[in-house]
Amino acid sequence: MKLDFTNVNLDNLSSYEDKALSAFDTLMNKDGAGNDFLGWIERPVDYDKEEFERIKKAAEKINKNSDVLISIGIGGSYLGIKAVDVACDSYFNSNRKVKLIYAGNQISGEYLSDLLDYLKDKDYSLNVISKSGTTTEPAIAFRFLKDAIEEKYGKEEAKKRIFATTDKAKGALKELADAEGYETFVVPDDIGGRFSVISAVGLLPLAVAGIDLDEFMAGFKEGMDEYTQRSFENPAIKYAAIRNMLNEAGKDIEVLVNYEAKLKYIAEWWKQLFAESEGKDGKGIFPVSVNNTTDLHSVGQMIQEGKRNLFETVLEIENPNKDLTIKEEKENLDGLNYLAGKTMSFVNKQAMEGTTIAHVKGEVANIRIKLDKISAKNIAKLFYFFEIAVGVSGYMLGVNPFNQPGVEEYKSQMFKLLGKPGYEN
């Protein structure tokens, strides 16, 4: 993984060095706000090896008896999993034995009804992921799916097909799992949801999907080795400093850009990571994303000539896993013969370069993150890079990067409207 800051004016960056390194020290010394949730920093080497092996065995079991695994979770219990899942699978011709399907990430009765219909002639298992077991969206989905799987297989067989990833000692889901005899895995106390894909939260469904967990963890380890170095040349520290420099210059929106549709859910994970970590106390850089070249034909105009309060971070894949070469046609009715002999990835890259030139000309600073290729290992390293960066950036902003108090307000208002006991007006 390489970072390119060529298209950012760095004349003022040196004035942010001391602040960035101080924020990094706060993160690594674990003496800042939210320090109870920093278990992810050492997790690439300090994890439960016994649970790791149990995860692999559970994945093998699911692959033997199921066509589908329903991953039931929301936020950090959903986005990291789907990011890796979508990025590492084929668009159309998946060779996976078990299909991952997601539930409990919204409250659509139509979605869940269609899912229940779809599952009627499938063999399936459930992985319900919730630290408490009472989060509204996954709890509703699990009610329906638990009833359906018990009706299909009977309670004794169903309990062998339900896996609970939850608190190690307490909570509604833990109590239910113990009472029913579900195999359980742990949501760590010291790792917040948006950082939790490195734990059983992400590892079980990804193992079922065929992700090599040893390679995945190796990617996090490479990130740990590289991005925990105390140096202003550390790309994670520099990225955090540049973000804060641009923010103080009035650039309060960051656009994560990709030119490969498989990376869409990487951006969705990234948006949660930065929005929940930085968006508090009236502060924060608003994270949005675009999928190019598709979105050049929708929001490209706004990026090019709209309000100058944004900057871009581009994910570039240097070596695609597959490609096509454009052929010459005799009639040339579409006028594309000038591209004959060129690969689609070459054309896509020139679109990226041309867009960068145009946007920089339009006063949009442009950061480039280059990945050799899409792989679970590279994505894990990218995740770790962003996690270190958001910790440094959040402390530079003067907020606690590891809580999300504002998330509770919408819940309170929703519960009042629904008449939940204890939330009456």
Side-chain angles (χ1 to χ4, degrees):
M1 199 172 98
K2 296 175 287 188
L3 274 83
D4 183 349
F5 303 117
T6 302
N7 291 308
V8 183
N9 184 339
L10 302 180
D11 290 348
N12 194 37
L13 183 62
S14 61
S15 64
Y16 289 82
E17 180 173 353
D18 289 345
K19 188 175 184 180
L21 290 174
S22 177
F24 176 77
D25 290 340
T26 299
L27 177 67
M28 299 307 296
N29 294 336
K30 300 183 180 181
D31 56 7
N35 56 27
D36 290 342
F37 294 95
L38 297 179
W40 55 271
I41 294 178
E42 290 88 16
R43 188 76 176 194
V45 294
D46 184 15
Y47 59 92
D48 185 334
K49 309 302 189 296
E50 185 273 333
E51 182 185 57
F52 192 71
E53 294 305 315
R54 279 201 303 116
I55 287 170
K56 291 180 180 179
K57 290 179 181 177
E60 290 175 4
K61 177 181 176 182
I62 294 167
N63 267 271
K64 287 178 181 177
N65 68 10
S66 300
D67 305 310
V68 176
L69 174 67
I70 313 299
S71 180
I72 307 168
I74 195 167
S77 301
Y78 157 65
L79 289 168
I81 303 164
K82 189 156 187 178
V84 181
D85 172 26
V86 171
C88 294
D89 198 9
S90 166
Y91 280 110
F92 304 106
N93 298 310
S94 178
N95 60 4
R96 293 177 178 174
K97 167 68 173 63
V98 177
K99 180 180 178 65
L100 274 187
I101 292 181
Y102 300 89
N105 51 68
Q106 28 78 357
I107 314 175
S108 168
E110 184 169 350
Y111 178 93
L112 194 54
S113 180
D114 280 355
L115 175 58
L116 291 168
D117 287 342
Y118 170 83
L119 292 172
K120 285 178 180 177
D121 62 351
K122 304 289 190 302
D123 280 319
Y124 64 96
S125 296
L126 307 178
N127 178 206
V128 55
I129 308 168
S130 175
K131 189 162 181 63
S132 65
T134 59
T135 303
T136 305
E137 295 90 341
I140 290 174
F142 184 51
R143 272 201 177 194
F144 283 97
L145 287 161
K146 177 177 177 290
D147 286 348
I149 200 170
E150 288 180 349
E151 182 177 343
K152 183 179 180 74
Y153 295 105
K155 288 202 68 166
E156 282 304 307
E157 174 62 21
K159 73 181 184 181
K160 300 174 185 177
R161 292 172 174 269
I162 299 175
F163 301 84
T165 306
T166 189
D167 190 271
K168 65 182 177 181
K170 63 182 186 298
L173 181 55
K174 175 61 176 172
E175 290 180 19
L176 177 65
D178 288 348
E180 297 290 338
Y182 307 151
E183 184 168 5
T184 61
F185 301 94
V186 175
V187 177
D189 290 334
D190 59 352
I191 300 179
R194 55 193 179 272
F195 297 83
S196 66
V197 70
I198 194 174
S199 73
V201 169
L203 297 181
L204 176 57
L206 291 176
V208 172
I211 299 300
D212 185 324
L213 296 191
D214 294 299
E215 281 293 293
F216 191 54
M217 293 299 285
F220 280 106
K221 174 63 165 55
E222 282 190 10
M224 180 180 175
D225 291 342
E226 187 168 344
Y227 304 127
T228 57
Q229 299 301 312
R230 191 187 189 279
S231 166
F232 200 52
E233 294 308 307
N234 176 336
I237 297 175
K238 184 171 282 190
Y239 171 64
I242 289 172
R243 295 179 78 253
N244 278 265
M245 178 187 73
L246 292 170
N247 184 40
E248 291 185 10
K251 308 287 188 179
D252 57 2
I253 297 174
E254 182 174 10
V255 185
L256 190 69
V257 185
N258 74 72
Y259 285 81
E260 179 58 63
K262 282 187 171 189
L263 301 181
K264 176 180 178 179
Y265 282 93
I266 300 288
E268 296 302 311
W269 171 86
W270 173 87
K271 284 191 285 190
Q272 185 204 12
L273 180 70
F274 279 85
E276 282 195 350
S277 297
E278 292 190 331
K280 53 205 76 166
D281 302 333
K283 301 175 182 179
I285 301 168
F286 193 81
V288 299
S289 62
V290 294
N291 306 295
N292 287 344
T293 60
T294 303
D295 288 341
L296 291 174
H297 298 262
S298 58
V299 298
Q301 173 65 37
M302 174 64 76
I303 295 173
Q304 184 69 47
E305 294 185 338
K307 190 175 180 180
R308 300 297 77 190
N309 63 336
L310 53 83
F311 64 97
E312 292 180 309
T313 297
V314 178
L315 298 179
E316 176 185 351
I317 306 302
E318 296 189 291
N319 297 296
N321 292 318
K322 295 180 180 179
D323 208 353
L324 290 171
T325 300
I326 300 168
K327 296 179 181 179
E328 184 172 3
E329 288 193 357
K330 186 176 180 180
E331 278 75 19
N332 193 31
L333 295 177
D334 53 16
L336 292 181
N337 275 356
Y338 76 100
L339 296 178
K342 296 180 173 65
T343 62
M344 286 189 69
S345 64
F346 175 82
V347 176
N348 199 26
K349 185 176 178 64
Q350 301 321 300
M352 178 185 65
E353 298 294 352
T355 302
T356 299
I357 292 168
H359 287 182
V360 171
K361 186 177 179 181
E363 300 180 8
V364 178
N366 185 282
I367 298 166
R368 189 79 61 87
I369 300 175
K370 300 181 180 183
L371 298 179
D372 171 47
K373 63 179 181 179
I374 296 175
S375 69
K377 183 177 181 180
N378 286 347
I379 292 169
K381 185 174 181 179
L382 179 68
F383 280 178
Y384 198 90
F385 163 81
F386 280 132
E387 288 167 356
I388 290 290
V390 80
V392 175
S393 185
Y395 283 137
M396 289 183 73
L397 277 169
V399 301
N400 176 354
F402 305 107
N403 67 354
Q404 53 279 340
V407 172
E408 299 308 314
E409 180 61 23
Y410 94 84
K411 295 180 182 178
S412 177
Q413 297 302 327
M414 177 180 71
F415 293 152
K416 286 180 183 178
L417 293 170
L418 290 171
K420 182 176 181 178
Y423 286 86
E424 297 85 354
N425 288 318

